[in-house]
């Protein structure tokens, strides 16, 4: 029964907005081997020695600001991804970690927190902590780079054509001067012309 509970928790915690799960049977919580109620469990609470994660190396294209912080330039890198979180989440985390090139500038604040990333019908739904708005704000030019750094990086994946932003699970109309109310598609005009294919 405990293993079944763990499987349910692992699955449900991949859903946006779900951080912990309690499983009841006939209205009573499932108990462990010591007859203690399991209560609420998060995915991070589960660490079975028998768990095996599949992983692979993947080449991705990320967009950071050029040296003048006026346009975006691509940076290719190879990252390790596992089946424990969506590839879209790995890409955003790489953007948060910043560029590896001395010729480019990181855009997203290190304080940025992505809660979840889900894809449905080629639209990627990103749910950030609300601090995204304050920690990444700046000039109108910078705010545009922030949004399209994310959108252009994600739309490099052939499974994504547009991106929808949420903050703490709620849709927000504006990020500074940039409208993020609706689905946002790729912007090739903001990419440094020398590197466009």
């Amino acid at each position: 029964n405990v293993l079944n509970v763990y499987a349910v928790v692992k699955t449900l915690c991949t859903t946006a907005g779900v951080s912990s799960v309690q499983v009841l049977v006939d209205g009573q919580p499932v108990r462990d081997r010591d007859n203690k109620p399991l209560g609420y469990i998060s995915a991070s609470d589960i660490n079975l020695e028998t768990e095996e994660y599949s992983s692979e190396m993947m080449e991705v294209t990320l967009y950071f600001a050029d040296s003048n912080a006026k346009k975006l330039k691509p940076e290719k890198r190879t990252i390790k991804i596992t089946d424990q979180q969506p590839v879209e989440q790995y890409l955003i985390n790489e953007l948060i970690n910043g560029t590896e090139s001395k010729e480019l500038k990181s855009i997203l604040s290190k304080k940025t927190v992505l809660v979840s990333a889900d894809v449905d019908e080629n639209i990627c739904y990103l749910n950030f902590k609300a601090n995204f708005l304050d920690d990444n704000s700046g000039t109108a030019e910078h705010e545009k780079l922030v949004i399209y750094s994310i959108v252009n990086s994600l739309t490099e994946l052939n499974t994504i054509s547009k991106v929808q932003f949420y903050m703490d699970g709620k849709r927000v109309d504006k990020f500074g001067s940039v409208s993020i109310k609706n689905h946002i598609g790729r912007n090739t005009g903001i990419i440094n012309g020398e590197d466009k294919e």
Side-chain angles (χ1 to χ4, degrees):
N1 284 343
V2 173
L3 289 177
N4 290 335
V5 169
Y6 286 170
V8 170
V9 171
K10 281 278 194 181
T11 302
L12 291 179
C13 283
T14 62
T15 305
V18 178
S19 58
S20 62
V21 177
Q22 182 180 36
V23 178
L24 305 177
V25 177
D26 293 330
Q28 298 297 318
V30 176
R31 295 176 176 270
D32 63 18
R33 291 176 182 173
D34 298 323
N35 204 33
K36 294 179 181 178
L38 288 177
Y40 284 93
I41 306 171
S42 66
S44 60
D45 293 331
I46 302 170
N47 186 20
L48 301 177
E49 293 181 3
T50 56
E51 282 187 300
E52 292 183 7
Y53 302 152
S54 64
S55 64
E56 62 178 294
M57 303 305 292
M58 179 178 182
E59 185 179 73
V60 298
T61 302
L62 306 171
Y63 286 87
F64 297 98
D66 61 17
S67 57
N68 298 316
K70 299 291 185 183
K71 288 202 169 188
L72 297 174
K73 291 185 76 173
E75 177 183 311
K76 291 187 181 294
R77 68 175 65 164
T78 301
I79 63 173
K80 182 179 180 179
I81 62 170
T82 73
D83 57 2
Q84 298 306 296
Q85 67 181 29
V87 63
E88 296 80 18
Q89 200 153 344
Y90 281 101
L91 263 64
I92 299 301
N93 288 336
E94 290 293 319
L95 290 175
I96 294 170
N97 290 337
T99 180
E100 296 176 348
S101 170
K102 294 180 180 179
E103 299 176 359
L104 302 179
K105 293 184 176 180
S106 300
I107 302 174
L108 290 183
S109 164
K110 296 283 188 184
K111 297 178 182 178
T112 302
V113 177
L114 178 66
V115 179
S116 63
D118 300 284
V119 179
D120 183 39
E121 295 184 354
N122 298 111
I123 298 172
C124 182
Y125 296 88
L126 298 177
N127 182 25
F128 289 96
K129 285 285 190 184
N131 69 307
F132 175 97
L133 300 171
D134 291 332
D135 292 337
N136 290 289
S137 63
T139 64
E141 194 170 55
H142 172 77
E143 289 162 355
K144 190 174 181 182
L145 288 176
V146 167
I147 295 301
Y148 286 105
S149 166
I150 293 170
V151 173
N152 284 2
S153 296
L154 289 176
T155 53
E156 284 284 339
L157 301 172
N158 58 19
T159 54
I160 297 175
S161 60
K162 292 184 178 181
V163 177
Q164 178 70 63
F165 290 83
Y166 287 86
M167 306 298 157
D168 282 343
K170 298 177 181 178
R171 190 177 292 195
V172 177
D173 291 349
K174 287 272 192 179
F175 167 54
S177 59
V178 184
S179 173
I180 58 173
K181 181 179 181 180
N182 300 312
H183 303 154
I184 301 174
R186 188 176 183 81
N187 181 348
T188 55
I190 202 171
I191 302 173
N192 187 302
E194 294 180 356
D195 292 278
K196 286 170 64 176
E197 293 182 0

